[in-house]
Structures are given as C-alpha cells and as structure tokens.
C-alpha cells in the first residue's frame, strides 16, 4: 500500500485528547486533515511528505519543498520569483496549518498539545498532516487531566502561555531552517509567526461560526508583549458601505505576494489602505 493511500484520511483507530478538535477542523475545513500516529507508527515518508524536522534542518528536503512553490509561481504567474519571495510563500503554506494543530484544540477544548518538530509531517498537495502527541496541557477539572501525558495548569492565562510556548517550540526551528533564504531578521520572522497564529485561527473560527470569540481570545493570547512574538492580534473595525462592521487587522509582516501581483494585496497587508480594505471585505460578505 502506498503512503498516499495509507494517509488519504486520518487514521480512525487512534484517539487522543485533541482528536475531536482535529475532526471538527476537518468538518469545517476539509482542505486540511490531521492523522494521529501511535507509538508503533512510523511517520510517512516519500510521496510528497516532509517532516517538520527536515524543514528545520534545511538542505535537500527544504530545497524540494521550495521547488513546489517555484513551479507553482511559474505556472500561475509566468515568472521566476525572487528566492526570498518563494521562501516567504512556502513558509506561510507550512506555518498556517501547523499553528492550527495547536490553536484549534486550545480554542475548542482548552487542550494544548506539545508538538516538537520531530512529531509532525506534512503533505501539502493532499492537505494532510500527521502528528504524534505525547504531552498536552489542560485546565483543572478537565476530564482529560488524568490521562497519560496531561499537564494541568492553574488557569486560562497559564494555558495561553502553553499555547505560546508550544507554537514557539514548533515554529522556532522551522524559522531557523528557512532563515538563510528568507533575507529577514529574527524580528521579521517572528512577526510572520504572529500573523500565522492569528490569521489561521481567525479564518477557521469564521467557519465555525465563532469569529468574535476567537478575536477576543486572540487579543488575550497575543497582546503585543509576548516574546518571541512580534506584534499582537491587532484587530480593529472598519465600516462598510451599508454601515456594517468589517473586522480587520494589520499584519506584523508581509508575505511579499505583491511582488508577483502588485494590484492584489492581502486585505490585512500593511500596504492595503482602509478604503481598499472596505472594498475587499465588502465583496466577501
């Protein structure tokens, strides 16, 4: 049996304290499915799979990962992008779903898995990730608090600290792997990490019908002073043409997509003025 067939959907025999969160994520966002590995399972390899630890190491695995973006940009835009633009887009396409592995269980069930880079693999073409969860944090009174690997923390702020730590533990080595081709300093890289945390959960919460709660939670999670992150959730409100409220935010970083299509900036890009944001956001509603 090929790796593609084996991991075409998350294994159903493996459950963990965060399995329900991953199942709910797949329901509202089928483009990403998360499979959980048991102690006896080997991480998927070949067939487009890459381990997060391989990305952190750089070298051939990272080169192959970047080559996907090189080909996609040539196909869709008919040009060769700068190496730092390719790396920025590739990092975004990994970090956005990787952050959801941690933030979605926290948001839905107040459980925070620890996922060092050695415990995550990614198949970008299929929208699949695999994880091995040995440890997680939760609050007192959680039924999962007595399970193996549980670490009980006293309150919500302590749990938010666990989210920040878990994401930093996972993304930090990946940022180091990408850094040589990114042409960005540490502050800019962690600004990207801040944006991936916020915009990933913000998007998924809209699909869940809980956007306003997520915005409030993210403001507390990332107030702008939590290191190594740079910037905060930074939400603000604009007014649409019919008086409606249009939530937006200013990204702490830029994905550099404007270098490929200058007229098509993101709605949260610092380069996008409020008038253009209102136009873009109103068109979505």
């Amino acid at each position: 049996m090929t790796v593609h067939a084996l991991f075409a959907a998350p294994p159903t025999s493996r459950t963990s304290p965060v399995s329900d969160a991953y199942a709910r994520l797949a329901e509202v966002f089928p483009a990403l499915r998360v499979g959980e590995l048991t102690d006896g399972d080997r991480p998927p390899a070949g067939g487009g799979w890459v381990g997060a630890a391989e990305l952190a190491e750089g070298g051939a695995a990272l080169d192959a990962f970047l080559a996907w973006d090189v080909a996609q940009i040539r196909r869709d835009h008919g040009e060769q992008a700068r190496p730092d633009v390719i790396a920025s887009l590739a990092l975004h396409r990994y970090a956005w779903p990787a952050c959801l592995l941690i933030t979605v269980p926290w948001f839905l069930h107040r459980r925070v898995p620890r996922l060092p880079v050695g415990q995550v693999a990614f198949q970008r073409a299929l929208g699949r990730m695999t994880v091995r969860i040995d440890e997680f944090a939760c609050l007192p009174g959680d039924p999962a608090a007595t399970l193996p690997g549980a670490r009980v923390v006293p309150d919500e702020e302590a749990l938010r600290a666990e989210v920040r730590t878990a994401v930093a533990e996972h993304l930090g080595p990946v940022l180091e792997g990408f850094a040589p081709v990114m042409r960005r300093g540490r502050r800019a890289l962690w600004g990207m990490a801040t944006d991936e945390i916020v915009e990933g959960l913000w998007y998924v919460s809209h699909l869940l019908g809980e956007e306003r709660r997520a915005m409030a939670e993210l403001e507390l999670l990332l107030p702008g002073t939590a290191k190594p992150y740079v910037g905060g959730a930074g939400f603000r409100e604009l007014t649409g043409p019919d008086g409606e409220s249009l939530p937006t935010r200013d990204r702490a970083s830029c994905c550099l997509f404007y270098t490929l299509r200058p007229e098509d900036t993101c709605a949260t890009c610092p380069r996008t003025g409020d008038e253009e944001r209102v136009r873009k956001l109103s068109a979505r509603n």
Side-chain angles (χ1 to χ4, degrees):
M1 182 179 292
T2 67
V3 170
H4 280 68
L6 180 61
F7 290 97
T12 57
S13 59
R14 167 63 163 163
T15 59
S16 79
V18 299
S19 295
D20 288 346
Y22 293 155
R24 182 70 177 127
L25 173 62
E27 288 176 4
V28 299
F29 187 55
L32 177 62
R33 294 182 180 272
V34 182
E36 297 183 60
L37 305 179
T38 65
D39 291 339
D41 292 330
R42 298 179 62 183
W49 285 92
V50 64
E54 295 177 282
L55 296 178
E57 292 171 2
L62 179 58
D63 290 343
F65 193 77
L66 297 175
W68 193 96
D69 292 273
V70 172
Q72 181 264 319
I73 290 169
R74 285 176 177 165
R75 182 180 65 250
D76 294 351
H77 302 284
E79 61 182 277
Q80 174 64 52
R82 298 187 330 231
D84 59 317
V85 174
I86 292 167
S88 293
L89 294 173
L91 176 59
H92 163 67
R93 287 164 175 162
Y94 175 77
W96 193 91
C99 288
L100 293 175
L101 298 175
I102 296 166
T103 59
V104 169
W106 164 68
F107 181 68
L108 291 179
H109 301 299
R110 288 303 192 257
R111 296 170 184 171
V112 181
R114 295 295 287 266
L115 291 169
V117 289
Q119 298 182 199
V120 177
F122 184 40
Q123 216 291 1
R124 63 190 304 175
L126 296 178
R128 301 291 185 264
M129 302 189 89
T130 61
V131 298
R132 189 190 311 277
I133 296 170
D134 297 323
E135 183 181 353
F136 67 98
C138 63
L139 293 169
D142 188 323
T146 59
L147 296 177
R151 188 174 64 264
V152 181
V153 298
D155 53 32
E156 291 280 2
E157 177 51 36
L159 198 64
R160 286 191 285 270
E162 291 288 334
V163 176
R164 294 188 288 263
T165 298
V167 174
E169 178 185 41
H170 183 83
L171 279 191
V174 175
L175 295 179
E176 292 296 324
F178 274 82
V181 287
M182 291 284 291
R183 299 182 188 173
R184 302 197 193 195
R186 173 181 171 83
R187 179 177 176 82
L189 289 172
W190 282 103
M192 291 187 71
T194 303
D195 289 331
E196 303 301 353
I197 293 171
V198 176
E199 300 207 354
L201 185 59
W202 186 23
Y203 179 81
V204 170
S205 70
H206 176 75
L207 302 178
L208 290 165
E210 296 194 70
E211 181 179 9
R212 290 292 175 175
R213 180 169 79 87
M215 292 168 63
E217 297 275 10
L218 286 164
E219 290 280 7
L220 293 172
L221 178 68
L222 294 167
T225 56
K227 302 299 182 181
Y229 303 101
V230 174
F235 291 109
R236 57 190 180 91
E237 302 283 336
L238 298 174
T239 302
D242 296 321
E244 71 274 28
S245 176
L246 299 173
T248 189
R249 67 178 296 265
D250 294 312
R251 290 177 57 91
S253 67
C254 180
C255 67
L256 304 181
F257 183 73
Y258 76 92
T259 64
L260 300 173
R261 191 178 294 171
E263 73 282 1
D264 190 14
T265 57
C266 304
T268 56
C269 179
R271 294 173 172 268
T272 306
D274 284 356
E275 183 177 347
E276 179 65 8
R277 291 184 188 220
V278 169
R279 187 189 68 79
K280 289 176 179 287
L281 294 170
S282 298
R284 294 178 186 175
N285 294 338

